[in-house]
Amino acid sequence: MKVEQKGHTTVLKHTQNDVQAFAEKITNQYHEFQTQNLILDLSQTKEVSNACLLYFRDFSKKHTKAKKSVIIVTDKVNFDKVPEYLSVVPSVLEAHDMIEMDEIERDLGF
């Protein structure tokens, strides 16, 4: 896992092919990232399915409750079948844009 911090956002880039192990690692290291907006970059992962996204369910809900964003980056899933509680986009640029929009919404009290 590669970690890249940029302002109020941390990009966690998955470098293996086991999505479940990545989700477990992030969950176990949550205390390190809890104050940051997160981009979970799975773009280099060969096999990602909609079922794999469920590994991030509890983590995402917890982080969102703390008023922080979690955006998953992959273009290998069916976007029509992504659960509402997850934010999934096809590129890191779009993930940064989503975080900016989330920050503006939070600043406005939404």
Side-chain angles (χ1 to χ4, degrees):
M1 174 172 71
K2 291 182 182 178
V3 178
E4 190 179 302
Q5 192 162 353
K6 195 175 190 182
H8 54 77
T9 302
T10 298
V11 178
L12 303 174
K13 189 168 189 159
H14 184 45
T15 55
Q16 306 291 313
N17 206 30
D18 186 354
V19 176
Q20 184 176 6
F22 180 58
E24 289 172 3
K25 187 173 188 174
I26 292 169
T27 301
N28 292 336
Q29 296 178 355
Y30 180 70
H31 63 279
E32 296 177 29
F33 311 116
Q34 66 187 10
T35 62
Q36 294 285 307
N37 293 304
L38 297 176
I39 296 174
L40 308 179
D41 186 359
L42 303 177
S43 60
Q44 300 301 313
T45 305
K46 293 178 184 172
E47 294 182 30
V48 179
S49 66
N50 285 68
C52 291
L53 297 178
L54 298 179
Y55 297 133
F56 300 101
R57 177 183 58 211
D58 295 336
F59 175 82
S60 179
K61 286 181 179 181
K62 180 179 180 180
H63 205 61
T64 303
K65 221 178 227 187
K67 305 269 189 222
K68 295 295 175 185
S69 300
V70 177
I71 313 295
I72 299 170
V73 177
T74 184
D75 61 357
K76 296 171 181 72
V77 297
N78 181 343
F79 288 94
D80 293 331
K81 295 186 178 181
V82 172
E84 286 183 23
Y85 54 81
L86 291 175
S87 296
V88 181
V89 296
S91 72
V92 174
L93 179 61
E94 288 176 271
H96 283 288
D97 291 344
M98 289 268 309
I99 288 175
E100 289 302 318
M101 287 189 297
D102 287 350
E103 287 287 319
I104 290 168
E105 286 179 3
R106 284 191 284 268
D107 288 345
L108 293 174
F110 291 104

